[in-house]
Amino acid sequence: MAEDWCGWCGERREETEFGLRVWSGRVSDTYFARQAYVRGHAVVVWRGRHVAEPIDLSPVESDLYHREVLTVARTIRDCFRPATLNYLTLGRPGEHLHTHVIARYPDDAGADGPLPVSPPPLLDASHWRADAAALKALLN
């Protein structure tokens, strides 16, 4: 699945099995997740040279990437009004560095703890597309 949304390793498509691209920054692409436990789950994917770990970014690259992660986070907060946000930065071998930005609500599936480990449910297509369009409008 990573090659579907990895800007370096594959074609940068608007829609993938993972989600919809809602924003392209200077160094990253942001996809709104098709499967999620909560409204407001996006993934910011580093689009530059192949890097799997944030410590492998140069200081300038790191600054640009993290500014874009924060831009997406602020927009999710403004769009969905969650109680808080969670961030999960991952870089697995063969994948590009990416950060999940996840809205959290007092009554979500994690109930004051982490979200479940099992695969999240597929979201209702009409609500998901409407949420993606709202987030995209604010980001652009």
Side-chain angles (χ1 to χ4, degrees):
M1 179 169 62
E3 60 276 1
D4 287 343
W5 52 276
C6 178
W8 180 262
C9 301
E11 181 182 347
R12 292 173 55 211
R13 298 187 311 213
E14 292 299 314
E15 185 170 344
T16 71
E17 181 181 321
F18 178 80
L20 285 170
R21 184 164 32 147
V22 292
W23 187 54
S24 292
R26 287 179 58 192
V27 299
S28 69
D29 285 326
T30 299
Y31 290 86
F32 194 66
R34 178 72 176 100
Q35 292 182 261
Y37 284 106
V38 295
R39 288 181 70 204
H41 179 164
V43 178
V44 182
V45 182
W46 167 254
R47 198 175 59 234
R49 62 190 171 82
H50 191 86
V51 170
E53 299 291 337
I55 59 174
D56 294 328
L57 295 172
S58 74
V60 170
E61 291 170 331
S62 178
D63 182 55
L64 290 169
Y65 177 72
H66 288 98
R67 284 176 188 246
E68 292 185 5
V69 169
L70 294 177
T71 296
V72 171
R74 284 185 193 97
T75 307
I76 288 173
R77 182 187 60 195
D78 293 346
C79 188
F80 298 104
R81 303 287 183 205
T84 191
L85 295 165
N86 284 171
Y87 305 85
L88 178 62
T89 299
L90 300 168
R92 297 183 187 116
E95 288 189 17
H96 252 7
L97 170 67
H98 60 286
T99 301
H100 293 256
V101 181
I102 306 165
R104 295 300 306 269
Y105 305 91
D107 61 348
D108 68 26
D112 295 328
L115 290 170
V117 177
S118 60
L122 193 62
L123 300 173
D124 173 76
S126 61
H127 291 125
W128 169 65
R129 287 189 184 280
D131 283 350
L135 187 62
K136 185 174 186 171
L138 289 175
L139 281 163
N140 296 290

